[in-house]
Every structure is written in structure tokens, then in C-alpha cells.
Amino acid sequence: MRILALTATLLLAGCANAPAEVAKAPAPPTAPLPAPTPAEAAKPPAQLQYLYGSPEAAVAVRATNARIADYGVWRVKQRPKDSVVLAPGATMDAPAFEPCGNKPFAAVFDADETLVWNLGPMRYFAEKGTAFDVKVWDQWEKTGAGKAVAMPGSVEMVNRLRAAGITVIANTNRSAANAKSSEDTLRAAGLGEFKHGETLFLMGDDADGSSKDGRRATIAAKYCVIILGGDQLGDFSQQFNVKDLPAAQRMALATSAAATALWDKGWFLFPNPVYGPWEKLGWGDVFPSDKNWEPK
Amino acid sequence: MRILALTATLLLAGCANAPAEVAKAPAPPTAPLPAPTPAEAAKPPAQLQYLYGSPEAAVAVRATNARIADYGVWRVKQRPKDSVVLAPGATMDAPAFEPCGNKPFAAVFDADETLVWNLGPMRYFAEKGTAFDVKVWDQWEKTGAGKAVAMPGSVEMVNRLRAAGITVIANTNRSAANAKSSEDTLRAAGLGEFKHGETLFLMGDDADGSSKDGRRATIAAKYCVIILGGDQLGDFSQQFNVKDLPAAQRMALATSAAATALWDKGWFLFPNPVYGPWEKLGWGDVFPSDKNWEPK
């Protein structure tokens, strides 16, 4: 699962360790993981049980979608001065935002584990005990329509936003080469119409690779973006994914006063313990040494 | 990790499969898990990386705490007619609540993975590759003060509630036998004073074992409970933990109209993919068969 998760991150998250060339190149051959023991294989890994199976996660996701819709419906009653998309070069230390002018409203979402759950390949990798495989993932992008499911409350959320006059846009690191099938996947999940280049932005649309900043700027040039939604910090700004950014600094940026002013107020984060840029964290990153404890 | 997590649930969550006697009895001897492979041991398990280490989880927890404090400060401006504690025998089909009368306000929280993160034993179990061990957990309850950490934003949350005149109460399945050290643990984490029998309720306080319903009723007899907070559904009502409740029914109850009216509006759920009652879910519970997919 370590290899699966880390590689999934590189592909889906556009994290610092994944330069665009790597994310787009065929995967290096990966050794299969040891076959799962019977005890392990009897049930899915804990993070999959929690996210895809538990009422606890379903409630959290549904509540996030409700907050997004409530916020959108409220927000458009005034005309915001600024988008919640950071202006080029702006940082959390000196935040500045793309101007709204009289542009129409939009809400911009990541797709994977933000609008849809990718049950097909996640089950496949876990059942086989195999590493993440970009060729399998590419097949999933091509053939997953009808098998990827809308997350709890996502259909209601996009419908409420659209009813309030807000254009719903997806900005994902799925490949531009599979644009048509990703449109099909979102439609088959009940999420409505997304059109490549208009309401669907994909990796390969520009020269920025897995960074979504350029695509966000393209969207914000045309829209007043009142909502960003995602499962990873790269769905809000690439500054969180700067190469070799130390874990403590990434944490400090994400919990800074400027970021805190945005969470739940324009920036909305979905839970995803299945894969993410946090997979590079070591024991010392996760467990501060001054909190070490052992039984006697 | 399967054994660890499931047993932790039995102990901490009061789930349907954990009659009080089992939860309180010494643990049956458990076979050690296979030693982790080097690849596995190089980093903590994914669910621990995510919850305890990631900015993504820190942001989600901090935002939940901010919502709780905002809600509490707003809610006390009116006098609610009812607590958010279900009346005895009330179900999500026919919800009815304990009356507020002129009682003082309270907010009631689970402790573990709701107010504090239990870094000590969770690291210990994962590093050793051992199963959850109730004797180790009991030592943690006795000696964890200063090692358990307040979750992101929890200190600010309890301080804001108290400043608004709301009594902060913990209702946890830690043992009544360790009351003093759990008081110490919460104080050392910066969460202030909790006093057993007044603002700290523990397993063993009544005859209900791991069910928190009786303790909730005891609290609601004295307080107008405007907030319940927890990481598992049993922190809101034992009806979610009825023995042998099918997974689909548990999901339906948690996402029913009556429950949805409470989530984020009195009932607040924290993310916890490390342990929980969802650990009994099998492949078919987590992945609906009509969504099965394989690459060609």
C-alpha cells in the first residue's frame, strides 16, 4: 500500500516530488508487493474501509458538500471583489487574489476523491496487493464511466450551485488525452455536463504539468471563482507543493492565518486518507519525538 | 493493523460487537502480527500518516473545531427548547430530544481522537507491529499525561465555548478506575479542568458499559446540551451501535433526514481513519459489486 499510495499521489496530486515529465511518463516497472496475508486480505485496508465504506466518512463528506452549497448560495448574494484563486506569485504570507470584476460566478473542484470516488482501481490494487500502476489508471480514465461513483452529497451540491447561477468546473490531473471519457465518467456519476476546455481542465492543457495554478489562472481570467474544492492542498495553490518543502513548513502554511481565513470560507477540503502528498511523511514527521511513550 | 484497529474500536468506541463485559475484561492473548516488511516499517501506516501528520487532516480538524465554537457562541444567544441529546427510546425515525428548560449550557465531547490524539500507544503499536493490547492501553490511560496532544484547534475551541458560558464536558470510554490520570491528561494537553462526575464521565460510571447513552442522559438531566462532538457515531447515540446492525442500515440511519438535520448543527464529527466501528466492513460492504471493475 505504501507504493500504491505514493505513486497515486504523484499521478493525481501534482505534488512537489512529481515533476510534470515524471507524472506523464510511463511508470517505471515496480516490483509487486508481497502477497497479502490471509488476515490482511480478509478485509480491505483500513483507509479504504473508512473512506469508501464508513458512515463516519459519508457523514463528513456529505456535510462538506452541504457547506459548499450553503456557502455558494449565500456568497452570490453579494458581488465579491475577489476570487478565492491566489494571484500569480501571491503567497500565504502576502495573499492577493484574482479580481472578480463583473465575471460570472464559478466553483472549481478537483475530480478524483473530490467529486467522485474511484472504487474500481482502488479495489483492484488493494485486492491484488499490487502497486499503483499508471497503465491501469489510464485504462480506468478511459473505461471507468459508470463505475466511478459520485461522493455522498456531491450531486445535490453541484445541482444547488448550478441552480444559483454558479458554473461548476473540474480542474483535475486526469490526462487531456482522455478528456472525452472523463466527461463521460462525470456525467455517468450523475454530476452533469463537463466540457473539456470550458468546464473541464486537465493535465496537459498547458505546460505546467501537474501544477494546477496555470489552469486556475485561466479559469479565474474568465470567472469570479467563489469556491475551490479538493482533497489535497495542491487543489488550492501550488505553493503547498513546492519541491522539497519541509513537512513543518507545509503544515505552517496550511494552518497560517491567511489560509485559516479561507478554509470553509471559499476553500473546502474533503477527507482522503487513501492517498495524498502526506505519504512521504516518516515516523519523525508524524510522531514528534517529545511525545514518544512506551509502556513499562 | 487489522487486529490493532478492531480491538481499539472495541475498547474505545463501544461498538455493537463490544459488550461491556468484553470491553472491560482483560484482553484475550492475541497472536503478534507478522513483522512488518522493511518497506512497511520505513514509514507509518497510511492512516496514521494522514491523521496525525498531514496538513490536510490538521486543516479538517481545525475547521471542525472552528465550526463548533462558532456554533456554540451563536446558539446560546437564543434559549433552545431542546438538547441535542436524544430522549430515551427515541430513534432517527422518530427523533425526540431531552428538554432544555432553564438548565445551564453544556457541550459534550468524546476524548480520544476528539479532544486529544493518542500519539503514544498508536506509535507504539505500529512500530512494534503488534496488535492492540488493552494492558498497554490501560498503562497509557495511567501515564499518558503530557504525551497525549490536544488536536489542532481544540484548545481554542474549548476556551471559546467556556468564554461563552458553556460548560465543556468529556464523555469517554476511558476507565473510571483511571479517572485522576485522565483528568491529568486533558489538563496537560492544555484543555483545562475536567472533574470526574461533574465534567468527566467514564466507562464504569454506570451499568451501561461502553454505551454512552446513560451518561448522556445523566448529563442532559442537568444541562442543556447544545453540542455533541465525537469521531464515531456512538458518540451521538447508541442506536448506531445496535448489535448486528447491518452496515447498510447503519449508513441509512447516519445519513437519514433526521441525522442530516443535526450534522454540523449540534452534532459534530471529527475524522478518524485510524480506528473505528467500520473496521468490521468486508470487501462487499466497502465496494458495491455493481461497481467492480478490472483492467483489460
Side-chain angles (χ1 to χ4, degrees):
Chain A
M1 286 305 297
R2 300 296 80 236
I3 296 171
L4 181 167
L6 184 56
T7 317
T9 301
L10 298 181
L11 185 74
L12 300 177
C15 82
N17 289 4
E21 313 80 54
V22 172
K24 285 185 289 187
T30 48
L33 292 177
T37 66
E40 288 170 341
K43 292 185 178 173
Q47 62 274 34
L48 303 181
Q49 289 178 304
Y50 173 78
L51 186 63
Y52 300 135
S54 80
E56 282 80 359
V59 162
V61 169
R62 192 174 285 274
T64 303
N65 276 316
R67 286 199 299 277
I68 291 171
D70 288 346
Y71 180 85
V73 168
W74 168 82
R75 195 72 188 90
V76 295
K77 291 180 184 166
Q78 313 115 317
R79 157 112 342 231
K81 183 174 154 284
D82 289 328
S83 276
V84 293
V85 173
L86 287 166
T91 66
M92 296 324 294
D93 292 332
F97 298 90
E98 296 277 4
C100 272
N102 290 317
K103 297 171 208 169
F105 297 113
V108 179
F109 299 94
D110 179 35
D112 297 305
E113 275 56 46
T114 296
L115 293 173
V116 293
W117 277 340
N118 293 292
L119 301 183
M122 295 307 166
R123 175 181 182 145
Y124 178 81
F125 295 137
E127 278 198 332
K128 302 290 180 193
T130 56
F132 184 88
D133 181 329
V134 292
K135 288 180 192 166
V136 171
W137 181 264
D138 186 64
Q139 282 204 40
W140 171 248
E141 288 192 8
K142 286 179 164 68
T143 68
K147 300 298 186 181
V149 297
M151 286 161 49
S154 295
V155 169
E156 297 89 329
M157 182 271 284
V158 296
N159 287 346
R160 286 185 62 198
L161 292 182
R162 286 174 178 140
I166 302 161
T167 299
V168 175
I169 295 174
N171 181 9
T172 157
N173 280 342
R174 288 176 173 233
S175 167
N178 297 328
K180 171 68 170 55
S181 41
S182 287
E183 291 173 1
D184 293 344
T185 294
L186 293 167
R187 184 188 311 108
L191 293 159
E193 295 299 320
F194 290 83
K195 191 172 174 191
H196 185 209
E198 298 184 7
T199 52
L200 177 62
F201 292 81
L202 298 159
M203 188 159 70
D205 284 350
D206 62 21
D208 285 1
S210 60
S211 166
K212 297 180 175 180
D213 273 356
R215 286 174 260 155
R216 272 187 287 267
T218 298
I219 297 163
K222 189 170 168 189
Y223 289 96
C224 173
V225 178
I226 58 171
I227 288 164
L228 290 174
D231 62 319
Q232 299 181 6
L233 300 179
D235 294 321
F236 306 93
S237 169
Q238 190 63 12
Q239 75 184 280
F240 299 114
N241 286 349
V242 167
K243 190 167 158 50
D244 298 329
L245 183 68
Q249 280 188 38
R250 193 168 187 269
M251 179 70 83
L253 278 177
T255 57
S256 64
T260 298
L262 286 160
W263 296 121
D264 272 355
K265 301 173 195 79
W267 288 9
F268 294 87
L269 191 64
F270 289 91
N272 180 8
V274 173
Y275 60 85
W278 40 264
E279 288 153 38
K280 58 190 149 193
L281 298 175
W283 290 98
D285 297 316
V286 176
F287 297 100
S289 59
D290 68 327
K291 300 301 174 195
N292 278 5
W293 172 90
E294 295 219 345
K296 285 168 203 160
Chain B
M1 284 306 295
R2 298 298 77 237
I3 296 171
L4 181 167
L6 184 56
T7 317
T9 300
L10 297 183
L11 186 73
L12 300 176
C15 81
N17 289 3
E21 314 76 55
V22 172
K24 286 186 287 187
T30 48
L33 292 176
T37 66
E40 288 170 341
K43 292 183 177 174
Q47 63 273 36
L48 303 180
Q49 289 178 304
Y50 173 78
L51 185 63
Y52 301 134
S54 80
E56 281 81 0
V59 162
V61 169
R62 192 175 286 275
T64 303
N65 275 316
R67 285 198 299 278
I68 291 171
D70 289 347
Y71 180 85
V73 168
W74 168 81
R75 195 70 187 93
V76 297
K77 290 179 184 166
Q78 311 116 315
R79 154 94 12 210
K81 184 175 152 286
D82 289 327
S83 275
V84 293
V85 173
L86 287 166
T91 65
M92 296 324 291
D93 292 331
F97 299 90
E98 296 275 4
C100 271
N102 289 317
K103 298 169 206 169
F105 296 113
V108 179
F109 298 95
D110 179 37
D112 297 305
E113 274 59 43
T114 296
L115 292 173
V116 294
W117 277 341
N118 293 292
L119 301 183
M122 295 307 165
R123 175 181 183 146
Y124 178 80
F125 294 136
E127 278 197 333
K128 302 290 180 192
T130 57
F132 184 88
D133 181 330
V134 292
K135 289 182 192 165
V136 171
W137 181 265
D138 185 65
Q139 282 204 38
W140 171 247
E141 287 193 8
K142 287 180 162 68
T143 67
K147 299 299 184 180
V149 298
M151 285 161 50
S154 295
V155 169
E156 298 88 329
M157 182 272 284
V158 297
N159 287 344
R160 284 186 63 200
L161 292 182
R162 287 174 178 141
I166 301 161
T167 299
V168 175
I169 295 174
N171 182 9
T172 158
N173 280 342
R174 287 176 172 233
S175 168
N178 298 328
K180 171 69 170 55
S181 40
S182 287
E183 290 174 2
D184 293 345
T185 294
L186 293 167
R187 184 188 310 109
L191 291 159
E193 295 299 321
F194 290 83
K195 190 170 174 192
H196 184 209
E198 298 184 7
T199 52
L200 176 62
F201 292 81
L202 298 160
M203 187 159 70
D205 283 350
D206 61 23
D208 284 1
S210 60
S211 167
K212 296 179 174 180
D213 273 357
R215 286 174 260 155
R216 272 188 288 268
T218 299
I219 297 164
K222 188 169 169 189
Y223 289 96
C224 172
V225 179
I226 58 172
I227 288 164
L228 291 174
D231 62 321
Q232 300 181 6
L233 299 180
D235 295 321
F236 306 94
S237 169
Q238 189 65 10
Q239 76 184 279
F240 299 115
N241 287 349
V242 168
K243 187 163 160 53
D244 299 328
L245 184 68
Q249 280 188 38
R250 192 168 189 268
M251 178 70 82
L253 278 177
T255 57
S256 64
T260 298
L262 286 161
W263 296 121
D264 271 355
K265 301 175 194 77
W267 289 9
F268 294 88
L269 192 64
F270 289 91
N272 180 9
V274 174
Y275 60 86
W278 39 265
E279 287 153 38
K280 59 189 148 190
L281 298 176
W283 290 97
D285 298 317
V286 176
F287 297 100
S289 58
D290 68 327
K291 299 303 174 193
N292 278 5
W293 173 91
E294 294 220 346
K296 287 165 201 163

